[in-house]
Amino acid sequence: MKKIAIFVAALIILYSIYYDLTTGTLPVSMATAGIEEHKSKQDQPAIPYTTKKVKRGDTVLSIAENIHDGPLPVPIEQMVDDFRELNGQIEPNHIQINETYKFPVYK
């Protein structure tokens, strides 16, 4: 009885290895997602930006509105995403006084 159990366990292990090597365990969309993202980031044009030094009382939104002389021509969410991308994923609410950051410029 033990020999049959060991034989069945060995078959299951061998089938698992075969399945993993031939088909894989990740869905195709997840396996290629990293490659597609890498290509798409290279194809996208760089975001135009200007650098500004943060003063006491400044926020990302107030600086962006000053750059554009009024309300933003894009949704705030897009401006925040572009700010993060330009500044190495720094959150807008974590900016520091007297530090210089890149702010997106929209036409």
Side-chain angles (χ1 to χ4, degrees):
M1 187 72 169
K2 287 183 184 178
K3 289 183 180 181
I4 294 174
I6 292 172
F7 179 74
V8 170
L11 284 177
I12 292 172
I13 290 172
L14 289 174
Y15 179 75
S16 312
I17 293 170
Y18 170 76
Y19 183 80
D20 191 34
L21 292 175
T22 57
T23 307
T25 54
L26 292 176
V28 174
S29 61
M30 288 180 69
T32 59
I35 296 169
E36 291 172 6
E37 281 183 40
H38 184 67
K39 288 181 183 176
S40 65
K41 284 186 178 181
Q42 288 178 346
D43 295 340
Q44 292 177 353
I47 300 168
Y49 67 89
T50 184
T51 56
K52 294 287 181 181
K53 189 172 186 177
V54 176
K55 296 181 233 162
R56 183 174 300 279
D58 282 344
T59 64
V60 171
L61 185 58
S62 67
I63 294 171
E65 287 177 340
N66 284 338
I67 291 170
H68 293 92
D69 295 323
L72 294 174
V74 297
I76 293 174
E77 292 82 12
Q78 180 182 349
M79 194 277 305
V80 168
D81 290 340
D82 292 343
F83 177 83
R84 283 187 193 120
E85 186 176 334
L86 289 170
N87 293 289
Q89 301 304 322
I90 293 175
E91 290 296 320
N93 55 346
H94 291 129
I95 60 173
Q96 301 291 317
I97 297 171
N98 294 326
E99 291 292 325
T100 302
Y101 297 98
K102 298 174 186 174
F103 290 88
V105 176
Y106 305 104
K107 295 179 182 179

